[in-house]
Amino acid sequence: MQDKVKVVIVGGGSAGWMTASFLSKALADGVDISLIQSANIKTVGVGEATFSDIHLFFEFLGLHEEDWMPECNASYKVAIRFVDWNAERRNFYHPFQRFELVQGWRIVEWWLKLKKDNVPADYACFTVPKICDAQRSPRYLDGRIFDSKLDGHLGPSENGDKALLLEDLHLQYPYAYHFDASLLSQFLSGYAKKRGVREIIDEVVDVRLTEDGSIRSIHTKEHGQIEGDLYIDCTGFRGLLINQALKEPFISFSESLPCDSALAMQVPSDRKKEGINPFTTATALSAGWAWNIPLFHRIGTGYVYSSAFLSREAAEEEFRQHLGARADGCNALHIKMRVGRNRNSWVKNCVAIGLSSGFVEPLQSTGIFFIHHGIEQLVNYFPGKRFDEANIKSYNRVIGNCIDGVREFLTLHYVASSREDTRFWKATKNELVVPDELAERLKLWERRLPTDRTINPNYHGFPGFSYCVMLLGLGRQPKYSLPALDHASDRHALAAFDQIGKRTEHLLSTLPSLYEYLTFRYGEGEPTLYRDGTKDKGVAA
C-alpha cells in the first residue's frame, strides 16, 4: 500500500470543513488530513443560502436532514424571490422547478404564444410561486416531497407517448436549504474529526517555498513547521497561500459585476407570528440589492452595493431604513468583497477552495456551490504525490469555466433589468462590459427564449430555464413566440395550464406551512390544526 498523501488545509469556515469532510470520506484511508484554523479570524458567514446541488454533498457524506438541519438552524428554500428588479416593480420568482413539456415544447413557449389570462410566466408555468406566497413547506410531515411523483409531462403528446415522471426528466431537487454557515462549520468539524482529521488551532506566521516555487511547509506560532504533499487554501479573500505566497494573479470581474461591498446583519424574527418564508429574497435598492435569508431562529440579511455610487455610511443608513424597526440594536458587519477569480485555482501543490479561489456576487447563492464544485473536482483530479501539469491545467479550465459561466449569468441580471431610476441602475445599462458571447446571445433572446443549447455551454449550475425565468422577470420578453406553435393545437397546452392551477390549489390545501413542518420536525410541539380541521401530519389526500 502506498504511503498516505498528507493534505494540509489552511483555514476553517465552510470551505475548510466542507473540504475536510468530503476528502476524509472520498479518499478514506489514503489521506492524512490536517486543518489549521486561527482562533482569531472570523468567517464571513454571509453564504447561508444554497441551491439544490447541495443535496449531493450531504448525501455523499451519508448525512440525512434530521442529522444536520436542527444543529444548523436550517430551513428549506424552494426559490429566490426578486423584488423591484424591473421598471414595473413586479416581483417574480426563480424556482427550482423546471418547465414542463407539452407536445415536445416547454410550457413557457406556449405561455409566450397564448399569454393565458395575462398571468405572469412564473405563476402560470410553476406551482412554486403560490407555495412561496403561502409559506408552505416542500415536504409533507410524513416526509414526502411535494412533487416527488408529479410535474413531468402534463398529459399525453399528440402521438400518444407515455407521460414522463419527474425522475425520468432528471430534474433538479425541488428545494435547497438556508442554514447558519457558522453552525454548519462546527457540525462538519465534528464529522471530519471523527473521521481522523487533525484540527490545529494556531496562527500561520510563514509559508516557505521550494526552489521550484512549490510550498515546502507552513510555519505556525505554536506548532512550528507543518509539512504536507498537497496544500489547500481556504483562507477566504486573503488568499494566504495562493495569492500571497504563490503570487497567483487575481482576475477582477468589476467591469461586469458592479457591486464590490456588502454589509451584513443578523436580525430577529418571530417565526410563530410571521411564519417562515421558504425562499430567499433579493430586493433591488438604490445602488445594489439586499438579501433576506430566513433561518429557523433568525433572519440573515445584508446589502450588496457598489462603493462607486454609495458610501459605507449611506449604505448602512439606506439598509436600516429598508429593514425598519427590525434593525434596531443590530450591528452591521461591513465587508469589502473581492469579486472575480484567480487566473488558476491550482498552482504547483496548492489548490484554492471557496473565496480564495473565486467569488461573484451572492445573487444566486453560488458561494457554497463553488466550494462543493471545487471539492468534487479536486477528488476527480486528485494527484496523489505526483503533480501532473496536464491534470492541473484541466482542473483549472473546469473551475475557471464554471466561475466565468456564473459571471455571465449574473451580468444578465443587471443588463437585462428594465430598471433605470438611479445612477447605479442607469450605469448597469450603459457602463458595464458585457462579454461578447453574452451580447450575441442577448440579441438572439430578443427573438427566442433561451434554451440549454443557446446559453453558456460550460457547466456553471444554471440551465436554460433559469435564463428564461430571469429574462422574463427582469422585463425582457422575446418579440415572437415559436413559429412552429402556430401549426400545433393549443388544446394540450391549455389543459396543462389548467392542471398546473389545480395541482397548485391541491398543494396549498394539503401542504403544512414551513413553520409547522420545522416545528414538528425539531420536536418543539405538535403541528397546529390544518385547514380541514385535522391533525393529519400533512398527509396528502
Side-chain angles (χ1 to χ4, degrees):
M1 182 177 179
Q2 290 184 334
D3 293 338
K4 289 185 177 182
V5 177
K6 293 183 179 180
V7 177
V8 178
I9 302 170
V10 180
S14 300
W17 287 112
M18 285 178 68
T19 302
S21 298
F22 201 95
L23 294 185
S24 68
K25 177 69 181 294
L27 304 176
D29 297 329
V31 291
D32 183 298
I33 303 173
S34 298
L35 186 147
I36 305 170
Q37 179 169 245
S38 170
N40 300 318
I41 298 177
K42 295 182 179 180
T43 58
V44 173
V46 297
E48 296 171 325
T50 58
F51 61 83
S52 57
D53 294 62
I54 192 64
H55 282 266
L56 301 175
F57 175 83
F58 290 115
E59 286 179 2
F60 180 79
L61 295 186
L63 295 172
H64 302 289
E65 290 179 351
E66 57 268 28
D67 298 327
W68 69 271
M69 285 186 68
E71 300 297 323
C72 302
N73 285 318
S75 183
Y76 291 132
K77 169 188 172 182
V78 298
I80 300 175
R81 181 175 68 175
F82 287 84
V83 178
D84 292 345
W85 278 80
N86 48 49
E88 299 76 23
R89 304 300 178 90
R90 185 188 75 79
N91 302 341
F92 67 95
Y93 287 97
H94 176 196
F96 290 117
Q97 282 181 314
R98 298 196 186 192
F99 294 124
E100 314 303 343
L101 296 178
V102 181
Q103 296 175 252
W105 288 288
R106 297 174 302 171
I107 196 167
V108 69
E109 305 285 4
W110 289 101
W111 173 87
L112 189 59
K113 178 190 176 186
L114 300 174
K115 301 294 193 306
K116 187 175 183 295
D117 300 327
N118 294 317
V119 178
D122 51 346
Y123 281 85
C125 299
F126 300 113
T127 60
V128 162
K130 285 190 176 181
I131 289 174
C132 288
D133 291 342
Q135 296 184 315
R136 295 290 188 262
S137 166
R139 282 187 180 270
Y140 290 98
L141 292 185
D142 62 7
R144 287 177 299 113
I145 300 174
F146 73 102
D147 65 352
S148 58
K149 290 187 177 180
L150 296 154
D151 295 336
H153 281 286
L154 292 175
S157 62
E158 290 282 5
N159 60 10
D161 289 343
K162 183 180 178 182
L164 296 179
L165 299 181
L166 177 76
E167 305 92 287
D168 299 318
L169 292 174
H170 303 290
L171 300 192
Q172 292 173 297
Y173 287 89
Y175 66 84
Y177 304 104
H178 297 135
F179 52 71
D180 185 314
S182 296
L183 292 180
L184 180 68
S185 298
Q186 294 176 29
F187 179 85
L188 292 179
S189 72
Y191 176 95
K193 285 186 282 189
K194 286 180 181 179
R195 299 189 64 85
V197 174
R198 177 190 178 204
E199 180 184 25
I200 302 170
I201 307 296
D202 209 340
E203 305 296 322
V204 175
V205 296
D206 192 19
V207 180
R208 297 184 183 175
L209 308 181
T210 64
E211 291 183 0
D212 71 356
S214 302
I215 297 176
R216 181 191 302 278
S217 58
I218 305 293
H219 287 252
T220 61
K221 186 175 181 180
E222 301 293 337
H223 293 76
Q225 177 176 295
I226 299 172
E227 294 184 348
D229 300 306
L230 177 67
Y231 296 86
I232 301 179
D233 188 340
C234 295
T235 62
F237 290 141
R238 291 185 302 152
L240 180 62
L241 307 185
I242 197 80
N243 301 122
Q244 295 185 35
L246 298 180
K247 309 300 181 185
E248 182 63 17
F250 183 81
I251 302 170
S252 173
F253 290 172
S254 60
E255 291 183 336
S256 301
L257 296 177
C259 298
D260 60 358
S261 303
L263 63 93
M265 286 188 189
Q266 298 179 1
V267 300
S269 64
D270 185 341
R271 58 181 182 266
K272 186 173 183 179
K273 179 180 179 181
E274 301 172 351
I276 302 174
N277 288 330
F279 54 87
T280 305
T281 303
T283 302
L285 298 180
S286 71
W289 58 278
W291 78 83
N292 181 291
I293 298 172
L295 307 182
F296 184 66
H297 65 311
R298 64 168 172 82
I299 291 173
T301 185
Y303 186 7
V304 175
Y305 64 95
S306 171
S307 62
F309 296 90
L310 206 61
S311 68
R312 169 178 168 145
E313 294 74 22
E316 183 168 340
E317 180 181 359
E318 181 185 6
F319 186 56
R320 288 187 180 277
Q321 290 177 354
H322 167 70
L323 292 178
R326 194 188 294 271
D328 292 348
C330 297
N331 295 323
L333 171 65
H334 288 267
I335 305 161
K336 193 67 177 177
M337 302 189 305
R338 187 179 76 156
V339 177
R341 67 171 175 88
N342 291 322
R343 181 183 62 183
N344 295 299
S345 289
W346 185 338
V347 179
K348 301 293 183 178
N349 59 344
C350 174
V351 178
I353 298 288
L355 299 180
S356 58
S357 168
F359 178 75
V360 295
E361 295 180 27
L363 191 48
Q364 287 281 355
S365 310
T366 51
I368 298 294
F369 165 69
F370 282 158
I371 295 171
H372 181 204
H373 180 250
I375 299 167
E376 281 193 328
Q377 294 307 311
L378 176 57
V379 171
N380 289 338
Y381 288 91
F382 198 77
K385 293 192 175 185
R386 292 181 292 113
F387 292 86
D388 178 80
E389 285 302 318
N391 190 62
I392 294 173
K393 185 177 181 180
S394 182
Y395 175 90
N396 283 325
R397 183 184 302 112
V398 169
I399 298 300
N401 285 343
C402 179
I403 299 175
D404 290 347
V406 174
R407 172 199 186 183
E408 184 174 309
F409 182 53
L410 297 193
T411 300
L412 176 81
H413 291 49
Y414 291 107
V415 299
S417 168
S418 57
R419 182 170 176 171
E420 296 186 71
D421 60 310
T422 68
R423 289 193 306 125
F424 171 84
W425 289 101
K426 285 183 174 69
T428 62
K429 310 302 176 295
N430 304 312
E431 299 176 19
L432 296 188
V433 174
V434 180
D436 291 342
E437 292 183 350
L438 175 58
E440 183 178 341
R441 293 182 183 112
L442 283 169
K443 290 181 180 179
L444 172 65
W445 297 337
E446 290 177 359
R447 293 167 174 79
R448 299 290 178 86
L449 287 169
T451 69
D452 287 341
R453 293 187 178 182
T454 63
I455 64 171
N456 187 304
N458 296 307
Y459 173 73
H460 55 284
F462 296 99
F465 93 92
S466 294
Y467 285 76
C468 286
V469 168
M470 292 310 303
L471 282 172
L472 293 172
L474 291 168
R476 288 283 190 104
Q477 185 171 299
K479 297 177 182 178
Y480 315 105
S481 59
L482 288 178
L485 298 188
D486 294 333
H487 305 283
S489 170
D490 298 341
R491 179 167 55 90
H492 289 299
L494 292 172
F497 285 118
D498 184 59
Q499 285 186 42
I500 289 175
K502 290 179 180 178
R503 174 63 179 157
T504 301
E505 292 307 313
H506 173 73
L507 292 172
L508 292 177
S509 67
T510 58
L511 281 172
S513 74
L514 185 52
Y515 168 75
E516 290 170 324
Y517 179 88
L518 294 177
T519 300
F520 177 74
R521 285 293 178 179
Y522 286 172
E524 294 192 3
E526 286 294 318
T528 59
L529 290 176
Y530 287 94
R531 283 144 297 285
D532 61 359
T534 68
K535 285 188 178 180
D536 63 358
K537 299 187 178 181
V539 178

